[in-house]
């Protein structure tokens, strides 16, 4: 019996597009744009920041070191320091779904790969954040989906039984990781509330 809904954040409850940040500082379609975007958002450091194993300033410096032109280094720093201001926005209508789940008595949780930056601003983006019973960010735990340890940490931290949880994530590999730990779920393929409602129809 499902008693808890567990959500990923990016491209489930919150839409995410790093190009919205890059376009604030550069012209899209240029070589410069592609090099800077890859150096920041496509970097190994981005993953390490989500894991919480390097500080932000070290990550930024390593990103900039991959670029040879001074202007591109400056643009990379602008993108990195301001990404959270531009590349995320709440998916319209998801707040109502969260509130309906809560009204029906389900526990509501978040399990997301996210850097420590999100700890300071997640309340500005997560819909119906007051309804959540627990929020777990990868950087806090120094773990990363789909590692089994992050799901086990979720269960332990909030006293959950995996068989009583249903997980919604936009990455199939993360759903597979959850399933290996006993938590059922579905892969959210379209970033809109209507699709999310269809996926959770058996709970709503």
């Amino acid at each position: 019996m499902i008693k808890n809904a567990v959500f990923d954040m990016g491209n489930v409850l919150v839409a995410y597009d790093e190009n919205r940040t890059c376009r604030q500082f550069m012209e899209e379609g240029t070589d410069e744009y592609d090099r800077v975007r890859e150096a920041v958002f496509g970097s190994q450091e981005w993953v390490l920041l989500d894991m919480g194993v390097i500080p932000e300033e070290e990550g930024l410096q390593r990103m900039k070191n991959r670029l040879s032109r001074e202007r591109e280094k400056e643009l990379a720093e602008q993108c990195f320091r301001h990404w959270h201001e531009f590349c995320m926005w709440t998916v319209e209508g998801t707040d109502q779904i969260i509130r309906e789940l809560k009204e029906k008595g389900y526990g509501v949780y978040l399990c997301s790969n996210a850097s420590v930056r999100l700890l300071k601003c997640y309340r500005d983006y997560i819909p119906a954040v007051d309804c959540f019973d627990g929020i777990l960010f990868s950087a806090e735990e120094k773990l990363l989906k789909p590692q089994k340890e992050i799901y086990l940490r979720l269960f332990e931290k909030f006293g959950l039984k995996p068989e009583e949880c249903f997980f919604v994530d936009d990455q199939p590999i993360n759903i597979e990781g959850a399933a290996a730990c006993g938590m059922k779920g579905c892969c959210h393929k379209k970033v809109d509330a209507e699709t999310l409602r269809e996926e959770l129809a058996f709970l709503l």
Side-chain angles (χ1 to χ4, degrees):
M1 179 180 177
I2 299 299
K3 297 181 180 180
N4 308 290
V6 182
F7 295 93
D8 176 36
M9 183 172 66
N11 289 327
V12 176
L13 300 178
V14 175
Y16 175 89
D17 182 4
E18 62 264 21
N19 287 299
R20 285 167 61 110
T21 297
C22 294
R23 286 194 292 265
Q24 296 294 318
F25 306 105
M26 298 172 287
E27 183 180 349
E28 193 169 7
T30 63
D31 290 342
E32 176 183 76
Y33 181 101
D34 293 339
R35 283 192 295 268
V36 172
R37 180 180 179 277
E38 182 62 23
V40 177
F41 298 103
S43 67
Q44 179 186 30
E45 288 72 37
W46 194 260
V47 177
L48 295 175
L49 288 163
D50 275 358
M51 290 185 72
V53 296
I54 60 171
E56 283 203 338
E57 292 305 316
E58 179 183 341
L60 172 59
Q61 190 58 53
R62 287 164 61 168
M63 292 170 184
K64 289 167 66 175
N65 287 345
R66 289 207 182 84
L67 298 165
S68 58
R69 299 175 183 176
E70 198 59 38
R71 170 175 164 78
E72 291 179 356
K73 292 176 185 287
E74 293 171 2
L75 289 168
E77 180 159 355
Q78 290 278 68
C79 288
F80 181 77
R81 295 205 184 279
H82 298 282
W83 65 264
H84 63 286
E85 299 171 19
F86 302 110
C87 73
M88 297 181 295
W89 64 100
T90 303
V91 178
E92 185 178 356
T94 53
D95 57 337
Q96 182 60 34
I97 294 172
I98 298 298
R99 294 193 186 282
E100 286 180 36
L101 288 169
K102 195 66 179 173
E103 288 171 5
K104 289 179 178 292
Y106 293 102
V108 180
Y109 298 87
L110 188 86
C111 181
S112 181
N113 287 346
S115 71
V116 292
R117 180 86 60 91
L118 270 296
L119 298 176
K120 302 174 183 178
C121 62
Y122 73 88
R123 291 184 175 277
D124 296 333
Y125 302 102
I126 296 175
V129 67
D130 56 298
C131 291
F132 280 77
D133 298 285
I135 290 175
L136 187 148
F137 285 132
S138 59
E140 271 194 299
E141 309 299 330
K142 293 183 169 51
L143 296 168
L144 200 69
K145 293 182 296 185
Q147 292 176 311
K148 69 177 182 180
E149 288 82 4
I150 194 168
Y151 303 108
L152 297 178
R153 178 63 181 140
L154 174 76
F155 305 144
E156 175 191 26
K157 187 171 185 176
F158 301 118
L160 305 176
K161 296 179 180 179
E163 66 273 16
E164 294 179 350
C165 298
F166 189 81
F167 182 44
V168 183
D169 194 291
D170 67 316
Q171 297 295 320
I173 193 171
N174 293 338
I175 296 298
E176 293 167 9
C181 296
M183 178 166 59
K184 294 180 180 179
C186 71
C187 186
H188 184 64
K189 294 186 179 298
K190 188 177 179 182
V191 188
D192 63 48
E194 183 179 351
T195 299
L196 185 62
R197 182 174 291 279
E198 291 172 358
E199 293 161 349
L200 295 173
F202 73 105
L203 300 179
L204 296 169

